[in-house]
Amino acid sequence: EALAFVLAYWVVPPGMAWISSQVFKPMYSARYMLPFLIPFIILAARGVRNIAWPKVRGIVLVGLVAFMGVGISAQVKLQDKPDWRGLAADLTARAQPGDLLVFVPGWHVKPFDYYAAGALETESDLPVPVPKYGAKPFTMLDEAMEGHSRVWLVWETDHYTDPQGAIYAYLQDHGRLVQDADFPLVGRLSLFENLNVAGRQ
């Protein structure tokens, strides 16, 4: 029973947080684990109380307090997820008619579109990892870009879905890079002019 309880405690809280992020808000944050913090502390306190040697009990207690203090400090100081709200507001204000947003990997579209509320047209279905699918991602990208004068690329750099930046390089070869900027906790936000459309205008 004790083993089953511990295993359940490892699985149930993250599972509930993940399911909630899919049903209610399409993103995960460490703060979703806060409801489980109190029972965890009670469980840890019971374990410390059961240590038979007072000196060892004191050392373990001090260690736990220090360890949890580091965690609290990190929780307060560190940004734990990308600023999708800020990006959605920024691009909604700066986008022009005919703009397209391409996400690599595609699942980043969910938290972005939660805040953008469908205001911008997006492409998130490119198959990943890109190197595995040969020409297919680029064919799909061409189809998605058809009729769009500008393309924004939201690319998570150094990620297995496109480690060499093949989509970025393809857009460079088939368009004109207008701007390039870092997007913290994701990688890069780039704007390309679609020369195929621009040439017909």
Side-chain angles (χ1 to χ4, degrees):
E1 288 181 358
L3 179 59
F5 177 80
V6 171
L7 291 175
Y9 206 89
W10 282 350
V11 172
V12 173
M16 290 181 64
W18 183 83
I19 290 171
S20 297
S21 73
Q22 301 303 305
V23 174
F24 302 109
K25 182 184 285 190
M27 61 196 76
Y28 173 79
S29 174
R31 67 177 180 270
Y32 296 167
M33 303 300 293
L34 290 177
F36 305 98
L37 183 60
I38 293 175
F40 168 76
I41 292 174
I42 293 172
L43 181 64
R46 182 175 179 181
V48 171
R49 184 197 64 184
N50 290 339
I51 297 175
W53 304 280
K55 289 185 178 180
V56 175
R57 189 187 308 133
I59 292 172
V60 171
L61 182 60
V62 170
L64 280 173
V65 170
F67 182 75
M68 294 174 73
V70 171
I72 292 172
S73 175
Q75 177 73 19
V76 171
K77 293 180 180 179
L78 298 179
Q79 183 181 352
D80 70 336
K81 62 183 177 66
D83 183 16
W84 296 114
R85 184 198 305 268
L87 181 66
D90 181 48
L91 292 189
T92 300
R94 293 165 56 197
Q96 300 176 5
D99 282 7
L100 173 72
L101 269 73
V102 177
F103 290 83
V104 180
W107 54 77
H108 283 325
V109 74
K110 294 181 70 177
F112 173 85
D113 209 39
Y114 176 83
Y115 293 113
L120 301 172
E121 188 170 346
T122 61
E123 169 57 51
S124 60
D125 293 329
L126 301 182
V128 293
V130 171
K132 179 181 177 181
Y133 289 90
K136 184 177 180 180
F138 310 106
T139 302
M140 293 178 65
L141 181 58
D142 281 337
E143 293 173 355
M145 290 167 54
E146 185 68 28
H148 294 281
S149 56
R150 303 196 310 172
V151 178
W152 298 85
L153 175 64
V154 182
W155 169 37
E156 183 169 357
T157 53
D158 300 320
H159 193 265
Y160 78 90
T161 51
D162 190 8
Q164 282 81 41
I167 298 297
Y168 180 86
Y170 187 83
L171 288 170
Q172 276 190 311
D173 291 341
H174 294 78
R176 183 176 69 85
L177 181 62
V178 177
Q179 71 173 58
D180 227 357
D182 291 332
F183 180 33
L185 301 184
V186 172
R188 181 174 290 175
L189 171 66
S190 307
L191 173 62
F192 297 88
E193 182 182 6
N194 187 354
L195 297 181
N196 291 332
V197 174
R200 293 197 296 266
Q201 293 177 345

